[in-house]
């Protein structure tokens, strides 16, 4: 992707610049430039409490890339819906998927106006890619969206990507049911790529910090994360630390695990 053409747009009018934005904080952790002073200050507070936060963000990003290459390259998946996509950065979903399958089609869905403004500007010239307003809490609305239907054929397998998204959705929004409803609407051969911060003593301070941000941090136990894959068959090696999911470089036994689980579920 060319990050110079077209230019990135200004932040949408009316945006609350006083509230740290989780997408911009994540962008900062990944070394991006689409963030503000208040985002950086909040992310720096996270880093002081959780020194592995930046490493965790990168490990999650690399996990997503490996999962896409696995699905596009080994399972011939050609359609992807990235929900809670976050700000565009290096090695975006459509770039990775189209490198393996040039005809791959990708929809980026997010409920954050900052994300949508940037994504639409950067993706304007790609006919096989769309950025749409969408929310995992409303799976029916997302799949019924006209722009989604222009790109995605719902009679063919679709990979749903929920990378570091669901730990910003509270239990009151019933995220497990939303994921189940979404996957039930897709045909056999579809897949779920999911990563989620796990409940761990080292991460407990993060929940309080994110109370001031645009979305909460909701840590869940391993069994609660595994429940998102109910009814699906987990691809090997199952639900594991994101760094250890089909690594393409050497992982030593002494290397610390980052506090985030990831896996790929297959619908048969």
């Amino acid at each position: 992707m060319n990050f110079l053409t077209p230019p990135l747009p200004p932040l949408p009018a009316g945006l609350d610049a006083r509230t740290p934005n989780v997408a911009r904080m994540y962008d900062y952790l990944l070394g991006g430039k689409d963030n503000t002073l208040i985002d950086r200050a909040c992310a720096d507070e996270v880093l002081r409490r959780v020194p592995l936060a930046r490493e965790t963000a990168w490990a999650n990003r690399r996990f997503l890339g490996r999962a896409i290459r696995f699905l596009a390259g080994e399972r011939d998946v050609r359609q992807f819906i990235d929900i809670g996509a976050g700000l565009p950065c290096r090695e975006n979903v459509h770039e990775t998927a189209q490198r393996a399958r040039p005809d791959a089609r990708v929809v980026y869905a997010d409920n954050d106006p900052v994300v949508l403004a940037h994504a639409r500007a950067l993706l304007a010239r790609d006919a096989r890619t769309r950025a749409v307003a969408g929310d995992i809490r409303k799976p029916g609305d997302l799949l019924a969206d006209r722009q989604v239907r222009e790109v995605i054929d719902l009679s063919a397998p679709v990979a749903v990507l929920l990378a570091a998204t669901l730990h910003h959705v509270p239990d009151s929004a019933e995220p497990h049911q939303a994921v189940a409803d979404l996957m039930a609407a897709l045909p056999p051969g579809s897949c779920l790529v999911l990563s989620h911060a796990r409940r761990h003593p080292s991460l407990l301070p993060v929940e309080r910090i994110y109370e001031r941000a645009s979305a909460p941090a909701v840590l869940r136990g391993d069994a609660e994360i595994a429940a998102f894959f109910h009814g699906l068959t987990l691809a090997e090696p199952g639900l594991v630390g994101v760094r250890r999911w089909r690594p393409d470089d050497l992982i030593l036994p002494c290397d610390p695990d980052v506090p985030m689980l990831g896996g790929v579920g297959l619908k048969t």
Side-chain angles (χ1 to χ4, degrees):
M1 178 182 293
N2 187 335
F3 286 92
L4 299 178
T5 304
L8 293 178
L11 295 181
L15 186 74
D16 182 5
R18 298 169 297 178
T19 301
N21 179 278
V22 295
R24 298 195 306 260
M25 289 170 63
Y26 190 66
D27 174 74
Y28 173 67
L29 292 174
L30 292 173
K33 298 180 180 179
D34 298 312
N35 47 74
T36 67
L37 181 61
I38 195 168
D39 304 319
R40 296 190 290 274
C42 196
D44 282 338
E45 188 175 349
V46 172
L47 287 166
R48 285 193 294 272
R49 301 292 189 92
V50 185
L52 275 177
R54 179 166 280 126
E55 190 172 349
T56 300
W58 273 111
N60 176 69
R61 193 71 194 174
R62 294 182 181 116
F63 156 75
L64 178 61
R66 295 195 303 274
I68 294 167
R69 289 192 293 273
F70 163 67
L71 293 176
E74 297 186 32
R75 297 195 64 86
D76 198 27
V77 176
R78 299 164 188 250
Q79 303 188 109
F80 299 81
I81 302 178
D82 186 4
I83 305 175
L87 289 163
C89 64
R90 286 176 288 178
E91 292 296 310
N92 291 293
V93 171
H94 72 284
E95 295 171 310
T96 303
Q98 290 171 4
R99 193 171 295 122
R101 297 289 174 189
D103 60 343
R105 300 187 297 279
V106 177
V107 166
Y108 294 97
D110 209 294
N111 63 359
D112 188 323
V114 177
V115 170
L116 291 173
H118 284 71
R120 284 170 173 162
L122 289 166
L123 302 173
R125 299 183 177 182
D126 191 330
R128 297 187 303 278
T129 308
R130 292 284 192 283
V132 305
D135 194 321
I136 181 57
R137 293 169 293 188
K138 299 178 180 179
D141 291 350
L142 176 60
L143 294 182
D145 186 280
R146 177 183 57 81
Q147 292 187 81
V148 173
R149 295 296 188 109
E150 288 176 354
V151 178
I152 302 296
D153 175 6
L154 295 180
S155 68
V158 179
V160 173
L161 313 180
L162 286 164
T165 295
L166 293 170
H167 55 233
H168 293 304
V169 181
D171 290 336
S172 60
E174 301 185 328
H176 287 90
Q177 187 62 53
V179 172
D181 291 346
L182 182 61
M183 296 308 298
L186 299 177
S190 295
C191 316
L192 172 65
V193 177
L194 182 147
S195 59
H196 195 298
R198 62 196 310 193
R199 186 179 298 121
H200 189 274
S202 68
L203 288 185
L204 294 180
V206 170
E207 289 185 306
R208 181 162 295 179
I209 295 171
Y210 273 83
E211 288 175 359
R212 308 195 305 268
S214 59
V218 184
L219 306 179
R220 294 186 170 95
D222 293 11
E224 293 174 289
I225 299 171
F228 285 112
F229 293 97
H230 180 72
L232 306 176
T233 301
L234 280 168
E236 292 294 335
L239 182 63
V240 296
V242 289
R243 178 181 278 170
R244 301 178 187 278
W245 195 90
R246 297 182 176 234
D248 50 14
D249 54 3
L250 181 62
I251 301 294
L252 300 175
C254 60
D255 287 340
D257 246 340
V258 296
M260 185 173 290
L261 296 180
V264 175
L266 311 175
K267 181 175 180 178
T268 56

